[in-house]
Amino acid sequence: MTDNDVAPVRTTDLSLPGPHSRRRAWIVTGLLVVFMMVNFADKSVVGLAADSIRRDLGLSATSFGLANSAFFLLFSVCGAAVGLLADRVRPRWLLLGMALLWSVAQLPMALGGGVAVLVASRILLGAAEGPAFPVAQHSALSWFPNHKRNLPGSLISVGTTLGVVVAAPGLTWVIHHHGWRAAFGLVAAVGVVWAAVWATLGRDGSHAADTPVNAVTEAGDPGPADAPYLRILRTGSWIGSTVAFFSTYWLTALALVWVPSYLRDGLGYSDTAAANLVAVLWAVNGVAMLGQAGLTGWLLRRGVRSRWARARVGGITLIVCALCCLGLSGLAGGALAVVLLIVGFGLPGLMVSVAVTSVAEVVPGRRRGGALGLMTAVVTTAGLVAPVLTGHLVDTQGTAGYRHAVLLVGALLLIGGTAAVTLIDPARDARRLAA
């Protein structure tokens, strides 16, 4: 580590206002964690009920993968559009509208829809959920100055993990005892309840338009608050964060849709054991996210720049996970395969928080929603391709298709980790935007 990797003393950081505002900040953050839990519970239903849905609707693996890929048809476009809109419309109302649309999208399948309804409802759900993560992050980060954003940013990401940890055993029980359509109805009801609570307690924070701390010049004058999006998208930090996040999202899409089937059909576990292992995998993901938040926060407080504290912590982790996935692709079962699966699929989620907080550190507050939305739009194209490609591999190669899908994930994580280590440098890019 060089002297350039030690951050200068910051005298311009904004502090949270009084205790009342701090309580409100954490209340909002808690609600947004639950928001992301509902979001990923919605996503996980189809994967958990995959065998039952395929049997009842007569779907091949490729057709089932295509139906899941339909979820991402409008996901990216809406993620970018609503992310940009979040720079102009209060995130509070955008989040409320999204939660209500999720519930509407789930109802047709609960009430008896077939294949066409499944595809249509997944498209609507994807359109409504596409902006969820960037807008939730934008809303949460608006309550905190830069040096206090790691924990809330990671907690929002952990919500995605907790959603699956809670949903996997719970929804599996509902599916076995009441049918998979009842599971769709349950997540729809939960979305309505969250929307009612958010309408009462949800608020927007006071740090929505902060100037990046690192954009402050030696003379103490902040850089331009309205840096053009094109300049932001050309920074190494935005590019590196996006590439690393893309590889992580590919893995996430695969985990949500196909890992339960992989555990059952590829590794020979029962439905209950597979659901429990899925819960363990996502629990490890949550622990990794919180661990990254703690480690990164500790490093930042000691004066280490984000290039190390965020980017290289995340990038090196992705490289380790890539090696686990590459090793897993050569195994057909056994305890070692489970360990490599849990490590290789469980740890990369921490890159989500790294990517978001790195970009948030670079861009002005007035561009944060758009920058995060555009990043999410690019990243979530992985969800459009991964499920259907994996389904095709399974149809044409049988259980070997699962192993080849994992091999591809390993290669993508290796590229993503390398991009994070070499390209992300928020301090450098914030200075360039301010120049």
Side-chain angles (χ1 to χ4, degrees), residues 14 110 160 333:
L14 297 172
T160 66

Side-chain angles (χ1 to χ4, degrees), residues 392-410:
H392 175 72
L393 291 174
V394 172
D395 270 343
T396 57
Q397 301 175 14
T399 55
Y402 291 115
R403 294 197 295 273
H404 290 145
V406 173
L407 178 65
L408 177 57
V409 167

Side-chain angles (χ1 to χ4, degrees), residues 241-268:
S241 296
T242 301
V243 172
F245 194 177
F246 179 93
S247 68
T248 302
Y249 206 90
W250 185 288
L251 178 144
T252 300
L254 188 66
L256 284 169
V257 177
W258 286 110
V259 162
S261 296
Y262 174 40
L263 288 167
R264 291 188 295 261
D265 303 334
L267 300 181

Side-chain angles (χ1 to χ4, degrees), residues 365-386:
R366 295 176 188 173
R367 293 285 187 255
R368 187 185 304 132
L372 294 177
L374 290 168
M375 177 172 70
T376 302
V378 174
V379 163
T380 52
T381 58
L384 186 64
V385 180

Side-chain angles (χ1 to χ4, degrees), residues 19-36:
H20 177 74
S21 294
R22 284 196 291 272
R23 283 196 299 272
R24 174 66 68 177
W26 288 111
I27 288 171
V28 169
T29 300
L31 286 172
L32 292 172
V33 171
V34 178
F35 175 79
M36 293 309 301

Side-chain angles (χ1 to χ4, degrees), residues 16 25 28 32 91 135-145 149 203-210 368:
L16 284 172
V28 169
L32 292 172
V135 176
Q137 286 282 1
H138 180 44
S139 179
L141 298 184
S142 72
W143 284 94
F144 300 88
R149 285 174 177 162
R203 298 290 188 276
D204 296 314
S206 60
H207 288 268
D210 290 354
R368 187 185 304 132

